[in-house]
């Protein structure tokens, strides 16, 4: 039995795949309309579905051209909302087909978990005792209220996926006006605003600033309590990617006001006063007017909500409303009750919510059998997609994070115009590889630009596969694709490595063609045979003779380079310690 959102759907499907019967119980997220079958329009979609649909619609709608044809804002907004409705409908209908395919039942209504000793639960156990495989494990029931009447639904396990709600900071007149929104009510936006003020530089705030800007709203302001750098760092964003995002945002006309908060809403127009603006006093004493105010200041898990009945049914809930769970199995403190998704707190993403739900169901029914869903680790790094315009995608470590973990790092970074597709179709953006300077391994991938949220999955495979940039350099990418940027970034990183691809190639030839095994004995013997004057040091000429003697002569330029890189004490010659360190450092696999 599942209380749903995208996590609930994923959990129910997993249960059906494991041969269990599942029912979804969901209260519509927003009063946004119903499908012909009576289900709500946002059924089975994430809370962020509206923003994705609005973004898509903003990209496909030429508001300026529509205005030039004398269309007024209401007509334009109607066209936009039609597109959103059709997108949400396609998603909801698709989710319904999935549920039908798996024989999953669905009940629309508010659910309240009952305690184990609640009369209704005890009665249900008595009634179904003979049908249960293990009646001693008990039964869990929820009371579902719909249209004023209550139904009790019972099952052996319950998965709670009641999601999150937007945080409402005090002093913001949400309820007085149809022009002040939070990240839930924005989904019911009913007009095309003339100007927008967003408070908060989190993912949601940035996403909507881009969207309103793309919709041709002339004045879009983001108020940031602190500074941009701190806010973007909190999101795990690479500094250069964040700077590129800010550059593109400000170039497109969005104003980002650091150190700025609203002290007071001095006037909020009543419904119907459509020509008037909200008036605000800012913390620096200045005033600002806006047609729409959007508080994107975070979300909180809804576990504490009395309607869910979780706390009174004995589920352990942290102060902020987050359900406490066992991180691996996702079981709560209460028997047979599991939780997944936003309601268990960070990272609160659609992708992680679904993975958690599948893992919870696996641990409910796996009964000692192995299942790959249980192997996934709660603490694995996440691939992040941010739906700005252009979008962002990142996975793995930033330079700063890698250095904190003790890596010596180089970065390979290229602008989107470094590849033909970028140059011609989408020059804005950059792709960066964070690379371990000793091994050449890719530790992180950070992208802003067209298709970034898709490309990051290839980046994720590079990081997870501990791929070295030398492998990327020897890969042939399909021409006129954005993936060519990975090779360009690898070239850039390579040029910053002490022992880049040129040295890899030389040592590869020595190993594969000249059959040399760089054992300690071999190196010592070689060193001593070349060190004719017995000084214990090799100069440039002796080093050149060494490579010739091994069967791979190298140019004077390349020898000067190895001397520069290896001569740690800076005396112009290489002693045996410095000499053998060269061979330790170049430990990369041979290039094909
Ligand atoms: C504006 C915005 C943009 C976002 N963008 C992204 C993004 O780009 N990428 C990403 O990965 N994530 C994004 N997210 C986050 C993502 O939407 C959530 O992580 C995801 O929706 C969580 O899924 P869930 O199933 O846990 O909860 P929810 O989607 O919140 O679903 C919970 C469901 O439970 C129902 N419910 C609650 N209480 C009860 C009850 N007592 N009885 C019955 N039903 C109940 C609710 O009505 C709701 O339908 C965004 C969120 C927002 C707000």
């Amino acid at each position: 039995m599942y209380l749903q959102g995208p996590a609930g759907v994923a959990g129910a499907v997993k249960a059906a795949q494991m041969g269990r019967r599942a029912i979804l119980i969901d209260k519509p997220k927003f009063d946004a309309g119903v499908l012909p079958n009576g289900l709500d329009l946002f059924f089975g979609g994430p809370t962020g579905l509206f923003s994705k649909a609005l973004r898509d619609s903003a990209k496909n709608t030429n508001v300026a051209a529509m205005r030039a044809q004398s269309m007024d804002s209401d007509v334009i907004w109607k066209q936009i909302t039609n597109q959103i409705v059709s997108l949400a409908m396609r998603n909801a209908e698709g989710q319904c087909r999935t549920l039908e395919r798996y024989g999953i039942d669905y009940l629309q209504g508010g659910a309240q978990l009952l305690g184990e000793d609640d009369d209704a639960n005890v009665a249900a156990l008595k009634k179904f005792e003979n049908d249960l495989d293990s009646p001693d494990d008990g039964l869990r029931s929820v009371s579902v209220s719909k249209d004023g009447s209550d139904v009790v639904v019972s099952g052996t396990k319950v998965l709670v996926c009641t999601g999150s709600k937007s945080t409402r900071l005090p002093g913001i007149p949400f309820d007085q006006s149809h022009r002040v929104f939070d990240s839930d009510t924005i989904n019911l936006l009913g007009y095309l605003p003339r100007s927008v003020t967003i408070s908060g530089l989190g993912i949601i705030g940035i996403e909507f600033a881009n969207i309103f800007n793309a919709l041709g709203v002339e004045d879009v302001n983001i108020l940031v309590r602190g500074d941009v750098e701190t806010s973007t760092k909190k999101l795990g964003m690479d500094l250069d990617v964040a700077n590129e995002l800010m550059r593109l945002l400000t170039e497109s006309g969005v104003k980002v006001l650091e150190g700025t908060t609203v002290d007071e809403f001095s006037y909020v127009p009543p419904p119907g006063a459509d020509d008037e603006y909200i008036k605000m006093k800012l913390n620096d004493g200045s005033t600002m007017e806006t047609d729409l105010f959007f508080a994107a200041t975070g979300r909180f898990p809804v576990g504490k909500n009395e309607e869910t009945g979780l706390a009174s049914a004995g589920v352990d809930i942290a102060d902020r409303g987050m359900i406490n769970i066992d991180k691996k199995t996702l079981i709560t403190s209460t028997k047979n009750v599991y939780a997944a998704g936003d309601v268990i707190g960070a990272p609160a993403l659609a992708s992680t919510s679904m993975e958690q739900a599948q893992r919870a169901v696996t641990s409910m029914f796996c009964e000692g059998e192995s299942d790959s869903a249980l192997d996934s680790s709660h603490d694995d790094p996440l691939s992040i997609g941010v739906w700005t315009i252009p979008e962002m995608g990142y996975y793995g470590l930033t330079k700063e994070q890698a250095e904190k973990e003790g890596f010596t790092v180089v970065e390979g970074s290229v602008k989107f115009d470094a590849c033909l597709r970028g140059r011609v179709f989408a020059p804005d953006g950059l792709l960066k590889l964070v690379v371990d300077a000793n091994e050449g391994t890719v530790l992180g991938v950070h992208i802003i630009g067209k298709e970034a949220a898709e490309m990051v999955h290839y980046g994720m495979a590079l990081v997870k596969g501990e791929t070295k940039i030398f492998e990327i350099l020897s890969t042939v990418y399909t021409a006129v694709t954005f993936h060519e940027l990975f090779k360009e970034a690898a070239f850039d990183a390579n040029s910053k490595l002490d022992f880049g691809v040129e040295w890899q190639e030389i040592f590869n030839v020595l190993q594969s063609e000249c059959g040399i095994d760089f054992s300690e004995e071999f190196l010592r013997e070689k060193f001593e045979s070349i060190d004719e004057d017995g000084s214990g040091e090799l100069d440039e000429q002796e080093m050149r003779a060494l490579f010739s003697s091994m069967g791979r002569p190298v140019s004077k330029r390349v020898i000067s380079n190895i001397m520069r890189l290896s001569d740690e004490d800076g005396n112009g010659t290489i002693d045996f310690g410095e000499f053998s360190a060269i061979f330790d450092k170049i430990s990369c696999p041979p290039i094909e």
Side-chain angles (χ1 to χ4, degrees):
M1 181 176 12
Y2 308 87
L3 307 184
Q4 77 102 21
V9 174
V13 169
K14 179 79 190 172
Q17 286 167 344
M18 293 179 82
R20 306 287 166 155
R21 185 149 179 234
I23 181 165
L24 281 165
I25 303 164
D26 184 52
K27 179 176 75 156
K29 276 195 182 86
F30 325 109
D31 188 14
V34 287
L35 297 170
N37 63 4
L39 294 183
D40 78 292
L41 198 55
F42 281 86
F43 170 73
T47 322
L49 177 66
F50 172 82
S51 64
K52 304 299 167 288
L54 185 58
R55 177 184 184 272
D56 197 60
S57 178
K59 285 174 72 181
N60 296 329
T61 310
N62 189 339
V63 174
M66 291 166 99
R67 287 204 195 281
Q69 289 168 16
S70 307
M71 286 190 194
D72 69 18
S73 293
D74 288 350
V75 177
I76 297 172
W77 187 247
K78 184 84 191 125
Q79 286 230 13
I80 290 168
T81 42
N82 282 347
Q83 290 180 41
I84 295 172
V85 167
S86 98
L87 202 144
M89 252 171 108
R90 278 207 303 272
N91 174 64
E93 285 168 356
Q95 293 285 39
C96 291
R97 279 196 299 276
T98 304
L99 298 186
E100 270 166 32
R101 196 177 331 131
Y102 286 102
I104 298 165
D105 295 320
Y106 175 72
L107 187 56
Q108 193 160 275
Q112 189 178 28
L113 182 68
L114 301 176
E116 252 191 306
D117 300 332
D118 188 283
D119 291 348
N121 191 57
V122 175
L125 182 58
K126 230 183 220 157
K127 187 169 167 196
F128 295 112
E129 209 164 12
N130 295 334
D131 301 326
L132 296 175
D133 293 339
S134 33
D136 288 347
D137 282 352
L139 207 62
R140 297 305 311 224
S141 303
V142 294
S143 163
V144 185
S145 63
K146 185 173 164 50
D147 305 330
S149 58
D150 288 351
V151 198
V152 172
V153 180
S154 306
T156 51
K157 313 275 179 196
V158 173
L159 177 62
V160 180
C161 310
T162 43
S164 60
K165 281 214 170 303
S166 50
T167 309
R168 288 190 160 195
L169 299 178
I172 303 177
F174 291 106
D175 299 322
Q176 268 176 46
S177 168
H178 63 306
R179 305 244 213 119
V180 178
F181 296 89
D182 62 29
S183 58
D184 286 318
T185 54
I186 194 77
N187 295 303
L188 298 172
L189 177 63
Y191 66 105
L192 180 59
R194 294 162 290 177
S195 60
V196 170
T197 301
I198 297 171
S199 106
L201 193 70
I203 287 183
I204 295 175
I206 299 171
E207 191 173 309
F208 273 95
N210 264 155
I211 291 171
F212 285 121
N213 188 54
L215 282 170
V217 176
E218 276 186 10
D219 202 6
V220 180
N221 297 298
I222 306 181
L223 313 185
V224 192
R225 187 196 296 267
D227 59 75
V228 169
E229 192 176 328
T230 314
S231 304
T232 49
K233 257 193 202 156
K234 265 196 219 152
L235 300 174
M237 249 182 234
D238 169 84
L239 196 61
D240 290 335
V241 166
N243 287 340
E244 181 69 355
L245 170 70
M246 287 304 138
R247 184 184 73 78
L248 294 171
L249 263 183
T250 38
E251 250 176 33
S252 68
V254 174
K255 290 188 210 76
V256 181
L257 308 174
E258 296 183 296
T260 307
T261 50
V262 179
D263 267 1
E264 191 193 335
F265 286 80
S266 39
Y267 178 69
V268 182
D274 294 344
D275 291 345
E276 296 181 345
Y277 287 85
I278 299 167
K279 293 187 173 53
M280 302 169 291
K281 273 193 195 144
L282 303 183
N283 56 336
D284 63 357
S286 63
T287 57
M288 186 184 248
E289 291 192 349
T290 189
D291 193 18
L292 181 155
F293 185 85
F294 175 35
T297 44
R299 299 182 62 80
F300 68 93
V302 295
K304 239 183 183 161
N305 183 338
E306 273 181 22
E307 192 195 342
T308 62
L310 295 167
S312 49
V315 177
D316 185 21
I317 295 166
D319 274 350
R320 278 195 69 239
M322 188 179 89
I323 299 182
N324 289 322
I325 40 113
D326 171 81
K327 283 192 171 185
K328 191 167 170 67
T329 61
L330 293 109
I331 191 159
T332 67
S333 58
T334 303
K335 197 172 157 190
N336 294 334
V337 179
Y338 295 69
D342 282 14
V343 76
I344 64 167
L349 292 167
S351 50
T352 46
S353 298
M354 292 189 285
E355 184 276 332
Q356 290 158 355
Q358 287 161 346
R359 191 147 44 93
V361 172
T362 304
S363 63
M364 281 174 190
F365 301 123
C366 213
E367 289 147 12
E369 291 166 41
S370 73
D371 186 302
S372 56
L374 265 186
D375 297 337
S376 64
S377 163
H378 206 72
D379 301 321
D380 269 357
L382 298 163
S383 133
I384 307 281
V386 184
W387 296 94
T388 41
I389 304 173
E391 64 209 47
M392 294 192 281
Y394 45 101
Y395 183 82
L397 302 176
T398 60
K399 180 169 188 271
E400 217 174 31
Q401 290 164 341
E403 283 172 348
K404 249 192 212 153
E405 290 193 15
F407 289 101
T408 307
V409 165
V410 293
E411 294 180 317
S413 179
V414 284
K415 297 267 187 199
F416 259 50
D417 62 8
C419 73
L420 178 57
R421 187 163 182 199
R423 222 159 26 246
V424 176
F425 300 109
D428 287 330
L430 71 85
L431 181 146
K432 178 191 276 189
L433 301 178
V434 174
V435 177
D436 174 357
N438 293 321
E439 301 284 331
T441 315
V442 181
L443 302 171
V445 177
H446 306 270
I447 318 170
I448 177 168
K450 200 167 167 39
E451 311 289 350
E454 297 286 350
M455 285 208 292
V456 74
H457 293 100
Y458 176 66
M460 178 161 79
L462 294 178
V463 176
K464 282 193 163 180
E466 297 180 9
T467 311
K468 294 183 195 267
I469 52 166
F470 316 113
E471 228 173 279
I472 301 176
L473 290 173
S474 63
T475 303
V476 179
Y477 292 87
T478 307
V480 205
T481 64
F482 291 123
H483 278 68
E484 290 179 297
L485 291 169
F486 284 98
K487 194 162 182 167
E488 297 300 327
F491 267 124
D492 188 46
N494 176 66
S495 72
K496 295 170 188 164
L497 281 186
D498 281 356
F499 293 96
V501 74
E502 202 166 27
W503 279 108
Q504 304 298 323
E505 192 271 333
I506 291 168
F507 281 78
N508 185 28
V509 170
L510 288 173
Q511 278 175 322
S512 58
E513 289 177 23
C514 310
I516 292 175
D517 165 24
F518 294 109
S519 64
E520 164 124 29
E521 288 137 307
F522 171 82
L523 293 178
R524 184 153 303 269
E525 192 190 306
K526 241 346 176 193
F527 186 91
E528 283 167 5
S529 71
I530 297 290
D531 180 23
E532 280 178 351
D533 55 10
S535 63
E537 304 270 345
L538 301 184
D539 60 20
E540 268 196 46
Q541 224 171 331
E542 287 171 319
M543 280 293 278
R544 229 179 141 186
L546 172 99
F547 282 95
S548 298
S549 77
M550 290 193 290
R552 174 65 170 86
V554 284
S555 69
K556 195 166 175 351
R557 179 186 65 78
V558 172
I559 285 294
S560 304
N561 169 260
I562 204 166
M563 296 295 288
R564 180 180 56 77
L565 295 170
S566 322
D567 182 15
E568 295 208 332
D569 57 14
N571 67 353
T573 54
I574 302 286
D575 62 28
F576 184 72
E578 291 166 338
F579 178 74
S580 55
I582 298 170
F583 298 85
D584 284 347
K585 277 189 189 169
I586 306 173
S587 56
C588 305
I591 297 168
E592 297 299 318

